[in-house]
Every structure is written in C-alpha cells, then in structure tokens.
C-alpha cells in the first residue's frame, strides 16, 4: 500500500488562493508517489470539486472540534491505512492537523505548540518570556477591563479578536472614548485583546522547516491602509532591505520559531522593524495568504513549496542548492471607494498583460462596495512578476491604478455637473 498524506481541512472554497495552494499540495505529493487523502466538512467538499477530483480520496470529517479528526485518522490507521504525513493549509485546521499527526505517529509540530501560537496573547507571553521584544497585551472580557489596561499603558492601542484572521475586528484607538466603536467591530461578544500599538514598517517572513531547523525563503514587504484599520493592500517579495537588517530579521525570527517549539512544516511570521530592532507580531504554522505562495514560486524559479515539506516529513533527500529569490513579485489589491458599481473599466487590459501571474475580481455591475475595514472588503487583486521586486511593485501599482470602478455616486456627480 502506498504511503498516505492526509490533508486536513482541504481549502476555503471561496478563496482562489486557498484552492490553488491545496491543488499544489496534492500535485506535489502525487509526484512523489504519495497517496492523498483530503478531509473536510461535507459542505466544503461539495464546494471544491477540483480538490476532490485531484485527491485519491476525500472524506467528510469535521476539524473544529478537539480530537475529532485525530480519532477518525486513528481508526483508519487501525484498519490498515498507512498515514505517514499530515498537513493543513487552513489556519483553522492547524490544531486538528497537529493532533492527528500525534495520534497516528506521523512527524509534525506538537498540538500544544500550535495551540499556543494560535492564541495570540499566549504567543506574545511565550515570546516575551523567551526574551523577545513584544508589545504589552491584555486579554479582556469587558470594556472595563480594556479601560484599565489603557490607564496603565501608553497609547495608541490596538483592539482585536483573540482568534480571528483577515483583519476582522482589528482597529486602533487613541483613548477610552474610542472603545465603544472598537468593541462594536469585534466579530463576537467573547473575550478580546487590547495591546500597545507598534510603530514601524511591517513585513512578513516566509519559510519552511528542514530537519527541525527553520529555512527562510524570503522577507515580504507589506502595505496597509492607514489607522484605525490595518487591511493589507499590497505585498512585495523579496523586500528591499539592506543586508544587516535582513540578517537581523533572519536571526530573530529563526530563534523565535525555535523558542516557540515549532519544528516542522511551513511558517509565516509577521514583524515590525522599529528603531530598537525586530518586534514579532503573529506567527503561523502555514504559508501566508494573499497569493504570497504564487509570488514565492515566481521569485524562486522551480521551487516546490509543499514538495520540500513532504520530502522533509518523509525523510527524503533535501533539495540541493540555494533557495533564494532571483526575481521579484508583487500583489496589489483593488480597494475603490464605497459605492454601487455601474461598470469596471480597464480590467481586460490587465488580464492581457504578460507580466500578470494571477488576477481576479469579486465585484461587478450592481455590487455594493463597502468601506475598507477587513480583508474581505477588498474587491480584486493583481499579482505580477518582474526582474526585480522594485519593478514588480511599480508595475502592480500601475496596473491597479489603471482599473476604474464607475459607481452610482460617480454618475450622480456627472449628472450634477451637467445640470449646473
């Protein structure tokens, strides 16, 4: 019987980058003679037919309840299934994947390590205890808790959910007067975090583990909307950094990952560069979203991101030679002002551009464009590749600027001018 790679959670069907990542996992496993088994909810499996068709087997198994996937996999192994590797590319499936790997004796990160990094305040506490610079943070159950933290620390501050992603519910405040509006943005009425705001340019660090050691593939420069929200609008890879700063990032992030107990799979670590050094943000045991994987694949020609991980999990020979960017790539998100779309101009020209690696629109005539408060409010994106990261960033910005969203408010302004 072929060895089996179990992919927990599959993909997020409505996110093209998630489906693309998952298809890459399955293809690179198949190229190594590994059988693939995808587990996810029945509704998600039904919504991702390309994933089901690409896998050797798909099974409806939930991954949000503790131990649910692990127990199912344990029964499969007892019945003769040879599960040798367990992966997840979804954030919400990371704990289930770690529990499952432990249950079937496959290599992977310990479940308690994944729980720690997924609990934002616990991850901050662990990094601070290990000697890494961290903003002060407090887990709050009420506005009174948050107000107490504000009195004890210097602002501004960030209010955010304890367990969410995509900038959902994240906002900046400068006084206790801002708390009610910030709390109203949170996705639920449970506990939440308030932490000190860190000022400085933002980056993310992308990489994999090989033989238990982190191998950084690239540092990505990040652009966000101005406060009070922090929605990511662009990424450039590799970041244009002087060698001393790049070395500082590599050393700090590598040491932090090991201090947290991570030893396997992919990682995506968010950081700030401040005058006093690197400050770590959130740490993830997966590749970054926002098509960063596509940018890595272009910038490092021939790389197989998941193939490298599978080789490591199976103890196969490591890919020889350097794994560093030799080209540049960038993604720019389309974030037009709020309004109802009448028409979109310039999109066909974007699709025809030879440097475009991927482009997508989630808006069309009749779409109501909301204010930009979270990642889901973005309405399109353009990923490009170029000879250098600077050229890629400039091209992505140019192409994004060439797309015009005509809205009902624009038409009203034209009519008003014509009638004046």
């Amino acid at each position: 019987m072929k060895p089996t790679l179990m992919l927990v959670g599959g993909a997020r069907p409505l996110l093209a980058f998630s489906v693309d990542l998952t298809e890459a996992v399955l293809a690179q496993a198949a190229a190594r003679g590994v059988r693939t088994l995808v587990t996810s909810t029945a509704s998600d499996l039904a919504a991702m037919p390309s994933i089901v068709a690409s896998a050797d087997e798909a099974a409806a198994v939930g991954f949000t309840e503790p131990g649910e996937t692990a127990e199912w996999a344990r029964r499969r192994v007892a019945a003769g299934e040879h599960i040798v590797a367990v992966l997840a590319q979804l954030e919400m499936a990371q704990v289930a994947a770690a529990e499952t790997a432990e249950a079937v004796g496959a290599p992977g990160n310990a479940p308690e390590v994944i729980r720690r990094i997924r609990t934002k305040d616990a991850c901050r506490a662990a990094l601070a205890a290990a000697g890494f610079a961290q903003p002060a943070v407090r887990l709050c159950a009420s506005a009174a808790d948050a107000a107490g933290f504000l009195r004890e620390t210097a602002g501004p501050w960030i209010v955010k959910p304890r367990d969410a992603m995509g900038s959902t519910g994240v906002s900046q405040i400068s006084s206790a007067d801002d708390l009610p509006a910030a709390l109203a943005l949170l996705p639920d009425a449970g506990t939440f975090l308030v932490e000190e705001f860190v000022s400085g340019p933002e980056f993310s660090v992308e990489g994999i583990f090989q033989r238990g050691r982190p191998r950084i593939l690239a540092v990505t420069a990040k652009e966000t909307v101005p406060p009070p929200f922090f929605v990511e609008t662009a990424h450039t890879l590799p970041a244009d950094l002087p060698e001393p700063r790049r070395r500082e990032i590599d050393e700090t992030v590598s040491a932090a990952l090991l201090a947290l107990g991570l030893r396997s799979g992919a990682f995506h670590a968010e950081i700030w560069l401040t005058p006093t050094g690197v400050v770590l943000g959130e740490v993830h045991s997966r590749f970054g979203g926002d098509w960063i994987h596509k940018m890595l694949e272009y910038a490092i020609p021939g790389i197989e991101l998941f193939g490298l991980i599978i080789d490591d999990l199976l103890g196969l020979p490591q890919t020889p030679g350097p794994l560093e960017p030799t080209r540049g790539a960038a993604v720019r998100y389309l974030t037009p002002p709020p309004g109802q779309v009448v028409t979109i101009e310039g999109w066909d020209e974007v699709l025809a551009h030879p440097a475009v690696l991927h482009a997508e629109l989630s808006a069309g005539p009749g779409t109501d464009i909301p204010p930009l408060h979270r990642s889901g409010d973005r309405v399109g994106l353009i990923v490009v590749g170029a000879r250098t990261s600077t050229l890629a960033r400039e091209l992505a910005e140019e192409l994004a600027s060439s797309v015009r969203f005509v809205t009902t408010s624009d038409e009203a302004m034209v009519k008003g001018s014509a009638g004046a």
Side-chain angles (χ1 to χ4, degrees):
M1 176 181 289
K2 281 185 176 182
T4 296
L5 179 145
M6 183 172 169
L7 182 63
V8 178
R12 293 182 68 186
L14 298 181
L15 290 180
F17 81 81
S18 181
V19 174
D20 192 75
L21 268 169
T22 303
E23 289 176 344
V25 178
L26 300 176
Q28 290 166 30
R32 287 158 173 77
V34 176
R35 182 176 179 274
T36 53
L37 167 61
V38 174
T39 61
S40 190
T41 63
S43 59
D44 276 359
L45 289 175
M48 47 186 178
S50 66
I51 301 301
V52 173
S54 299
D56 290 296
E57 182 184 352
V61 184
F63 56 86
T64 57
E65 295 298 321
E68 184 176 5
T69 306
E71 182 56 34
W72 183 90
R74 191 183 289 111
R75 292 196 299 269
R76 288 292 295 255
V77 169
E81 184 81 58
H82 186 36
I83 298 175
V84 296
V86 182
L87 290 176
Q89 60 97 352
L90 294 183
E91 178 69 22
M92 297 302 181
Q94 295 299 318
V95 172
E99 291 175 339
T100 302
E102 183 179 67
V104 302
N109 294 304
E112 62 269 20
V113 170
I114 302 302
R115 293 189 192 98
R116 183 184 306 124
I117 67 168
R118 290 213 65 252
T119 308
K120 298 172 185 178
D121 51 311
C123 187
R124 289 241 184 276
L127 287 170
F132 296 93
Q134 288 285 276
V137 61
R138 178 169 295 176
L139 178 64
C140 300
S142 66
D145 289 346
F149 180 74
L150 267 56
R151 287 192 297 270
E152 298 167 11
T153 53
W157 304 268
I158 301 297
V159 177
K160 62 184 180 181
R162 194 183 193 196
D163 182 7
M165 53 188 175
S167 301
T168 300
V170 179
S171 62
Q172 179 180 308
I173 62 174
S174 56
S175 73
D177 293 339
D178 301 328
L179 267 174
L183 298 182
L185 293 170
L186 295 171
D188 57 57
T191 55
F192 59 94
L193 301 178
V194 183
E195 68 180 30
E196 292 177 317
F197 173 71
V198 179
S199 179
E202 296 183 55
F203 301 84
S204 62
V205 182
E206 332 300 340
I208 59 171
F209 281 90
Q210 290 185 317
R211 296 182 178 138
R213 305 293 300 179
R215 184 166 186 175
I216 292 174
L217 301 175
V219 177
T220 306
K222 181 192 305 187
E223 296 177 42
T224 65
V225 297
F229 304 107
F230 298 90
V231 181
E232 295 170 3
T233 55
H235 301 279
T236 303
L237 183 157
D240 185 12
L241 290 164
E243 182 56 31
R245 295 309 314 253
R246 169 61 200 264
R247 189 164 54 250
E248 178 189 7
I249 291 171
D250 286 7
E251 292 172 356
T252 303
V253 171
S254 294
L257 295 171
L258 293 173
L260 288 169
L262 290 165
R263 296 293 185 272
S264 177
F267 60 85
H268 170 73
E270 299 172 358
I271 65 166
W272 295 274
L273 277 184
T274 74
T276 57
V278 175
V279 176
L280 284 112
E282 295 180 9
V283 177
H284 304 277
S285 55
R286 55 166 173 80
F287 287 115
D290 285 359
W291 292 92
I292 286 175
H293 77 284
K294 181 71 73 178
M295 295 160 62
L296 278 169
E297 290 170 347
Y298 180 86
I300 309 175
I303 194 171
E304 287 189 313
L305 295 172
F306 287 102
L308 290 169
I309 294 172
I310 294 167
D311 288 345
D312 186 62
L313 293 175
L314 301 184
L316 298 176
Q318 305 294 311
T319 301
L323 290 174
E324 297 177 356
T326 58
R327 302 186 293 194
V331 59
R332 172 72 60 172
Y333 277 83
L334 305 181
T335 57
Q340 187 177 76
V341 177
V342 175
T343 187
I344 300 172
E345 301 172 351
W347 187 244
D348 288 342
E349 290 77 6
V350 168
L351 294 177
H353 197 287
V356 171
L357 306 175
H358 178 81
E360 62 182 75
L361 272 178
S362 57
T367 300
D368 287 314
I369 298 174
L372 189 59
H373 291 173
R374 59 190 182 89
S375 296
D377 296 329
R378 304 174 301 190
V379 299
L381 63 96
I382 303 167
V383 187
V384 303
R387 185 168 47 84
T388 68
S389 56
T390 298
L391 290 173
R393 177 180 53 78
E394 292 172 348
L395 178 57
E397 186 172 358
E398 177 187 330
L399 290 174
S401 298
S402 73
V403 181
R404 180 171 179 247
F405 290 78
V406 180
T407 66
T408 50
S409 59
D410 295 325
E411 290 197 331
M413 290 176 62
V414 171
K415 290 177 181 178
S417 298

